[in-house]
Amino acid sequence: DIQMTQSPSSLSASVGDRVTITCRASQTISSYLNWYQYKPGKAPKLLIYAASSLQSGVPSRFSGSGSGTDFTLTISSLQPEDFATYYCQQSYTTPVFGQGTKLEIK
Amino acid sequence: EVQLVESGGGLVQPGGSLRLSCAASGFTFSNYWMHWVRQTPGKGLVWVSRINSDGSNAIYADSVKGRFTIARDNAKNTLYLQMNSLRAEDTAVYYCAREVTYKSSWYLYRWLDPWGQGTLVTVSS
């Protein structure tokens, strides 16, 4: 089974900061990588699909990159509504999520 | 508006059963594969099961295989998850999600969008 490992597990940052979250697959998955935002009590929200394609309606401060085994999600300038937990998910085989990265206010 | 609404969660004793429903609207339900994913504070998002568009094929995570059954009624635009022999570790918020696919050259990309708001299942005596 493909394992997905995110780092860091948690991150403290301030409004306006640039933030990068990393996701590593245990084997190559080409560009079959998606990113989601999760807030308790709300539906998880798709941010990025196919490693680097921005979902319609998602602010352009979110961006994704990578291929093979190493991927990143970058938020260029944190806004108050961005404090949430972020998950990567591989779609090369049956879905597997990373363990999540909790982004907290510093 | 594309929408998924889950229902059927609640408190159940270990060994008990529960059936979750997911009502779909705003899109042609019968054209899409559908998934169940659960979320716990300790493990995050964990994929549970997937069913193809006509309901003829389903796959499950090892942790629920033989205990959970995914099904759909395309006439009612509804997805189901029958959960039997429930255990404490099945306690979670359960989400249904639509699978979207995009073909580009040799690649077939898949992602989950949208998701429902979730329904809480608590397994406890």
Side-chain angles (χ1 to χ4, degrees):
Chain A
D1 292 356
I2 299 174
Q3 307 300 318
M4 306 300 294
T5 303
Q6 288 180 232
S7 60
S9 296
S10 63
L11 175 60
S12 294
S14 301
V15 173
D17 284 354
R18 179 183 180 89
V19 167
T20 298
I21 298 169
T22 297
C23 178
R24 175 165 289 175
S26 59
Q27 66 184 72
T28 183
I29 58 170
S30 184
S31 297
Y32 294 102
L33 192 284
N34 307 313
W35 289 97
Y36 302 87
Q37 179 189 66
Y38 175 76
K39 295 180 180 180
K42 291 199 164 185
K45 178 184 177 182
L46 174 72
L47 300 174
I48 302 286
Y49 61 91
S52 61
S53 294
L54 188 67
Q55 170 68 347
S56 175
V58 174
S60 59
R61 62 181 180 272
F62 290 92
S63 64
S65 65
S67 67
T69 61
D70 294 314
F71 303 87
T72 60
L73 173 70
T74 298
I75 310 172
S76 60
S77 178
L78 273 173
Q79 298 302 301
E81 61 268 28
D82 298 339
F83 292 95
T85 301
Y86 293 86
Y87 291 92
C88 62
Q89 175 243 323
Q90 66 85 6
S91 58
Y92 187 76
T93 61
T94 51
V96 177
F97 294 88
Q99 81 278 17
T101 295
K102 187 173 185 178
L103 181 53
E104 299 174 306
I105 301 174
K106 184 183 286 185
Chain B
E1 180 192 4
V2 176
Q3 194 172 14
L4 299 170
V5 178
E6 301 94 338
S7 61
L11 174 64
V12 61
Q13 292 188 339
S17 298
L18 212 55
R19 188 177 82 156
L20 306 183
S21 299
C22 169
S25 60
F27 65 101
T28 305
F29 180 69
S30 58
N31 286 352
Y32 290 86
W33 292 16
M34 297 294 296
H35 295 249
W36 287 100
V37 178
R38 63 189 182 187
Q39 199 276 342
T40 61
K43 292 191 173 182
L45 293 173
V46 176
W47 175 80
V48 173
S49 182
R50 181 228 79 199
I51 190 167
N52 67 348
S53 55
D54 67 6
S56 62
N57 182 269
I59 56 173
Y60 301 90
D62 287 345
S63 58
V64 307
K65 201 173 294 182
R67 301 187 299 122
F68 289 13
T69 302
I70 190 172
R72 64 191 298 161
D73 185 335
N74 286 342
K76 295 182 177 180
N77 292 336
T78 303
L79 175 73
Y80 302 100
L81 185 67
Q82 177 67 44
M83 305 185 295
N84 299 331
S85 302
L86 282 161
R87 307 167 179 166
E89 54 264 35
D90 296 318
T91 295
V93 176
Y94 285 74
Y95 297 94
C96 60
R98 181 182 70 170
E99 178 178 297
V100 178
T101 59
Y102 172 70
K103 190 169 184 180
S104 172
S105 301
W106 298 281
Y107 303 101
L108 181 62
Y109 296 105
R110 305 174 185 269
W111 57 87
L112 301 179
D113 181 69
W115 299 53
Q117 298 273 17
T119 186
L120 175 62
V121 172
T122 303
V123 184
S124 175
S125 54

